Amino acid sequence: MKPNKIQTVAVYCSASVKIDPLYLDAAREVGEELARRQLTMIYGGSTRSMMGAAAEAVMTHGGRVIGFIPKHLKKIEVPKDDITELHLVDTSHIRKHLMFEHSDAFFILPGGFGTLDETFEIIARKDLKLHEKPIIFINVNGYWDALSVMVKNIFDQNFARSEDKDLFQIVSSVSEAFQVLLGEKND
Ligand code: AMP
């Protein structure tokens, strides 16, 4: 997808309330920068932790957020009902599918098993050439360093189908993520 065609960006990130506040700051920065560029944020619809912080920042800065949350998670994840569109869906599977369909690109912030589940599905689908959407890990606080080691192993030992090492990028800051996604230049 050409950078100027990108209108919606999925943000996958943690719903844990026990993490260091520095991760919440990174989520807020992503939200603010999405709003500034008039890019709609697609996400899991929760108020919790980084998910809620990113969505809140988009809304505070005049942007658009579309959330998809499964009915069975209503109590645990607490839906964020003050966003542009909140969709209650039947299953986590449907949530993942709708998030994928509505997104032109993906930002992967630090997260746990849920974030990894969502992320590896879109990487595996890209490896099978089922889509070409950009996938960008934002390596806040070196969180994804261990993943880089694992990924190198996968490519070095030919465990990936694709020979294209650009299945995804890992960047070190929020501003770099936007540079890679949109071809923005540093001032
Ligand atoms: P976590 O990274 O574990 O904090 O989870 C981040 C988000 O991913 C939460 O909203 C979880 O509900 C969601 N999640 C966890 N597992 C799945 C799944 N199998 N499909 C879709 N979303 C999931």
Side-chain angles (χ1 to χ4, degrees), residues 13-16 44 46 51 70 73 77 92-93 95-96 110-118:
C13 60
S14 174
S16 168
S46 171
M51 296 176 69
L73 283 180
E77 297 208 346
S92 293
H93 189 75
R95 174 206 236 179
K96 262 198 297 194
F113 298 120
T115 301
L116 286 174
D117 175 86
E118 292 165 330

Side-chain angles (χ1 to χ4, degrees), residues 25-44:
D25 289 341
R28 286 187 196 103
E29 188 182 350
V30 168
E32 180 174 346
E33 295 302 322
L34 287 171
R36 206 156 70 79
R37 291 167 179 80
Q38 297 180 312
L39 295 168
T40 297
M41 173 171 143
I42 308 296
Y43 89 122

